[in-house]
Amino acid sequence: MPADLVQVPPFLSKDIAGDIFTGSILGGGDYQIGSWVLGVQAKLTLGNMNDEQRSGPTTYVSNAASTFSTSSKIESIWMISLAPRIGYTYENSLFYAFGGLAASRFTYSFKYSDTCTAGFYDIVDTSISKNKLGWTAGVGYEYQVTDGGGLMVEYAHYEFDDVI
């Protein structure tokens, strides 16, 4: 493999991950046995979930006067999940854990530009969108303020392998 081609794959193979705050619409039901709670929750999570990796300008090995740059971006604006959960109540509080299936639509964008090839590969700009299945797991806390109403905070991890 020519020395210049060896430089490109490390920029293209970086993992993309991000931590963000989102808003969710929840539905589901619970069944209580003593202090233990068994249930299922369906969730629609909305937010501008994206991450971008950029590199360059990087100088070519064989042509020090020329450079290339890459940019990879992945984004999603929604995720849905369906997960069983188990929890423990204490007074008006519920501590719980959950895990289940998740789905989302991802858009992957890639851009490559260089100063070497004069019109052939000056700019490559492409975008692909796909629906993907994955999984989610997390923990949460609920505080019951009134019958049927309460406050909730949750940490959820979503995992989607080979998005594009």
Side-chain angles (χ1 to χ4, degrees), residues 22 26 32 38 74 78 86 91 110 113 147 154 161 164:
T22 61
L26 299 169
Q32 189 165 349
L38 301 173
I74 189 123
W78 62 266
I86 186 168
E91 296 179 356
F110 174 75
S113 61
D147 283 342
E154 184 175 273
D161 293 331
I164 298 297

Side-chain angles (χ1 to χ4, degrees), residues 45-120:
T45 301
L46 302 171
N48 187 14
M49 300 166 273
N50 67 70
D51 194 19
E52 187 170 9
Q53 298 288 329
R54 294 175 181 257
S55 70
T58 302
T59 303
Y60 282 102
V61 172
S62 64
N63 184 351
S66 297
T67 62
F68 69 89
S69 300
T70 64
S71 172
S72 296
K73 183 176 184 179
I74 189 123
E75 57 190 330
S76 175
I77 59 170
W78 62 266
M79 292 183 194
I80 58 173
S81 63
L82 181 64
R85 71 179 188 165
I86 186 168
Y88 188 80
T89 61
Y90 178 74
E91 296 179 356
N92 287 359
S93 294
L94 171 64
F95 303 90
Y96 64 92
F98 65 91
L101 297 174
S104 187
R105 181 164 184 84
F106 293 94
T107 300
Y108 174 75
S109 304
F110 174 75
K111 185 174 183 177
Y112 169 88
S113 61
D114 73 22
T115 61
C116 178
T117 54
F120 188 63

Side-chain angles (χ1 to χ4, degrees), residues 3-16:
D4 291 336
L5 293 179
V6 173
Q7 290 178 282
V8 177
F11 295 111
L12 303 181
S13 62
K14 290 186 178 180
D15 288 336
I16 296 177

Side-chain angles (χ1 to χ4, degrees), residues 26-30 40-42:
L26 299 169
D30 292 321
V40 64
Q41 67 181 28

